[in-house]
């Protein structure tokens, strides 16, 4: 009912504006309507339960992971600093989408202002690019640790780590900031209904009455120059890592080197495989794959990797497990 009222409001505002000058109308002032998961509106309440549980688990898991790394001096190393960056980006990425999605599912709060939609779009894409850059930095960390272990402390100094952090944020900003202006330059003269649970670049662009070919090419170029390039560099890094590992003389040395990369490889696969599947399914699946499948995948993508990343690192990394024991035992002693 709330969604119906919001839709009527948008239609009324659009109609009011069209009576003055149709050619000059701008429906940005009426905002946008996020429909949720099209075709599954009757299941929104039930779908909200697992989504809410995964979101809370992601917040708790990544929050605890960050606290463990910050509280334990033994974990103040490049690998764990990058891991805390990944956890922070995961918290922000899931928070940029899930609260609005859950409000839509629970309260029917589907309306969002046009500027609010642009803001959400920017942070979703910005954090996705930043996540990918952090995974590349972690691959570089493993590459140096295994291929040049004697130079590890001299290569990955605090200054270098600071530069990597600055480069990650700067690249994400440079790649995604123009998208705001590319969307603002367009003319919007239709009812702004987005068949999704959150705002994304092409979803907003398709609301326009203008030519969006620049937006299409920009989106493709941004994906290739960020995620595409990161995947290539990560692949090259791990090819060289595997070559170095299999040259080690003893089996114990090889297994130890591979185990240090196991958690990172799991996180990489968890991050890129759903994203690539979603992209290819959308591009080539066409009408054979229902729309609600694409929307479900997009929503699962922003909560499942953030939820599982702390579990993967906590279960596979002895140092984090030991750090968690020390942190909780210290908190238990202080509470007595």
């Amino acid at each position: 009912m709330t969604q119906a009222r919001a839709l009527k409001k948008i239609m009324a505002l659009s109609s009011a504006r069209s009576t003055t000058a149709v050619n000059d109308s701008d429906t940005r002032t009426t905002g946008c309507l996020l429909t949720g998961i099209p075709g599954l509106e009757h299941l929104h309440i039930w779908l909200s339960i697992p989504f809410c549980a995964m979101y809370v688990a992601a917040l708790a898991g990544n929050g605890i992971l960050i606290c463990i790394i910050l509280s334990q001096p033994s974990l103040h190393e490049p690998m764990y600093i990058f891991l805390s960056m990944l956890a922070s980006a995961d918290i922000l990425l899931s928070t940029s989408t899930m609260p609005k999605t859950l409000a839509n599912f629970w309260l029917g709060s589907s309306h969002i202002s046009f500027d609010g939609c642009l803001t959400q779009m920017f942070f979703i894409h910005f954090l996705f690019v930043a996540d990918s850059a952090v995974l590349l930095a972690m691959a570089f960390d493993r590459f140096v640790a295994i291929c040049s272990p004697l130079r590890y402390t001299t290569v990955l100094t605090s200054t270098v780590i600071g530069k990597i952090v600055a480069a990650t944020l700067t690249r994400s900003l440079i790649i995604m900031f123009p998208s705001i202006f590319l969307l603002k330059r367009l003319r919007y003269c239709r009812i702004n209904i987005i068949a999704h649970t959150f705002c994304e670049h092409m979803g907003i662009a398709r609301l326009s009455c203008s030519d969006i070919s620049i937006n299409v090419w920009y989106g493709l170029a941004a994906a290739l120059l960020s995620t595409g390039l990161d995947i290539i560099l990560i692949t090259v890094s791990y090819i060289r890592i595997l070559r170095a590992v299999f040259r080690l003389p003893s089996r114990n040395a090889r297994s130890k080197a591979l185990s240090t990369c196991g958690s990172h490889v799991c996180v990489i696969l968890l991050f890129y495989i759903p994203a690539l599947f979603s992209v290819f399914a959308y591009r080539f699946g066409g009408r054979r794959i229902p729309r609600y499948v694409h929307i479900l995948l997009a929503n699962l993508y922003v909560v499942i990797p953030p939820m599982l990343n702390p579990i993967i690192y906590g279960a596979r990394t002895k140092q984090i497990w030991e750090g968690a024991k020390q942190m909780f035992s210290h908190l238990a002693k202080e509470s007595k």
Side-chain angles (χ1 to χ4, degrees):
M1 292 298 292
T2 308
Q3 284 188 351
R5 286 196 297 269
L7 177 57
K8 288 179 180 177
K9 181 181 178 182
I10 291 179
M11 292 179 68
L13 288 170
S14 299
S15 299
R17 291 188 63 85
S18 63
T19 57
T20 55
V22 175
N23 293 332
D24 297 328
S25 64
D26 187 351
T27 57
R28 283 181 292 189
T29 56
T30 64
C32 302
L33 186 70
L34 297 167
T35 64
I37 303 176
L40 298 180
E41 290 87 355
H42 60 291
L43 296 176
H44 277 180
I45 292 294
W46 295 106
L47 289 171
S48 69
I49 297 172
F51 279 128
C52 182
M54 288 186 287
Y55 176 54
V56 171
L59 292 181
N62 286 287
I64 291 171
L65 184 61
I66 292 170
C67 290
I68 292 170
I69 294 171
L70 292 177
S71 64
Q72 301 300 312
S74 61
L75 298 179
H76 293 176
E77 298 178 2
M79 173 182 172
Y80 302 108
I81 293 172
F82 292 141
L83 180 57
S84 66
M85 289 171 57
L86 182 67
S88 301
D90 282 344
I91 289 175
L92 294 173
L93 179 61
S94 57
T95 301
S96 66
T97 59
M98 274 299 112
K100 180 61 181 175
T101 299
L102 293 174
N104 193 346
F105 287 172
W106 288 335
L107 307 173
S109 178
S110 55
H111 184 263
I112 184 172
S113 68
F114 188 82
D115 287 337
C117 199
L118 288 181
T119 302
Q120 186 187 50
M121 178 276 302
F122 171 78
F123 279 107
I124 290 171
H125 294 310
F126 174 89
L127 292 165
F128 180 84
V129 174
D131 251 343
S132 182
V134 172
L135 290 175
L136 175 60
M138 295 173 77
F140 176 68
D141 169 81
R142 292 299 84 202
F143 169 75
V144 177
I146 292 174
C147 297
S148 303
L150 299 179
R151 299 177 55 205
Y152 183 76
T153 55
T154 58
V155 172
L156 286 169
T157 61
S158 57
T159 303
V160 171
I161 293 172
K163 289 180 179 179
I164 290 174
V165 173
T168 297
L169 298 176
T170 303
R171 187 189 75 156
S172 301
L173 184 65
I174 290 173
I175 290 175
M176 295 316 308
F177 196 65
S179 64
I180 297 175
F181 298 99
L182 288 175
L183 290 171
K184 275 186 168 290
R185 74 180 178 86
L186 300 174
R187 189 171 67 90
Y188 299 87
C189 56
R190 305 186 186 118
I191 300 173
N192 298 326
I193 300 176
I194 301 176
H196 211 303
T197 55
F198 55 80
C199 301
E200 47 91 23
H201 178 249
M202 288 310 301
I204 301 174
R206 289 192 181 99
L207 299 175
S208 170
C209 304
S210 308
D211 179 19
I212 61 170
S213 55
I214 295 177
N215 296 73
V216 173
W217 286 109
Y218 167 78
L220 180 61
L224 291 176
L225 292 175
S226 56
T227 308
L229 183 60
D230 290 345
I231 291 174
I232 293 172
L233 294 175
I234 289 171
T235 303
V236 170
S237 296
Y238 269 95
I239 289 173
R240 298 193 63 180
I241 286 171
L242 289 174
R243 288 176 59 188
V245 166
F246 289 116
R247 287 175 183 170
L248 294 174
S250 68
R251 179 178 295 180
N252 288 336
R254 288 195 295 270
S255 61
K256 184 178 179 181
L258 289 174
S259 66
T260 61
C261 300
S263 300
H264 185 227
V265 171
C266 290
V267 170
I268 288 172
L269 295 176
L270 193 62
F271 181 81
Y272 287 116
I273 288 179
L276 293 175
F277 177 79
S278 181
V279 169
F280 285 115
Y282 183 78
R283 295 287 182 185
F284 304 109
R287 296 171 185 172
R288 289 176 294 176
I289 301 177
R291 177 68 176 171
Y292 66 83
V293 174
H294 297 293
I295 309 301
L296 276 173
L297 283 174
N299 281 274
L300 290 172
Y301 178 71
V302 297
V303 287
I304 288 183
M307 178 187 69
L308 293 181
N309 287 349
I311 298 173
I312 292 171
Y313 272 98
R316 295 183 59 90
T317 308
K318 182 180 178 181
Q319 292 88 338
I320 291 178
W321 189 248
E322 293 298 325
K325 289 180 181 178
Q326 293 179 18
M327 186 184 76
F328 285 117
S329 63
H330 180 70
L331 291 174
K333 288 178 182 178
E334 285 188 344
S335 63
K336 292 181 180 179

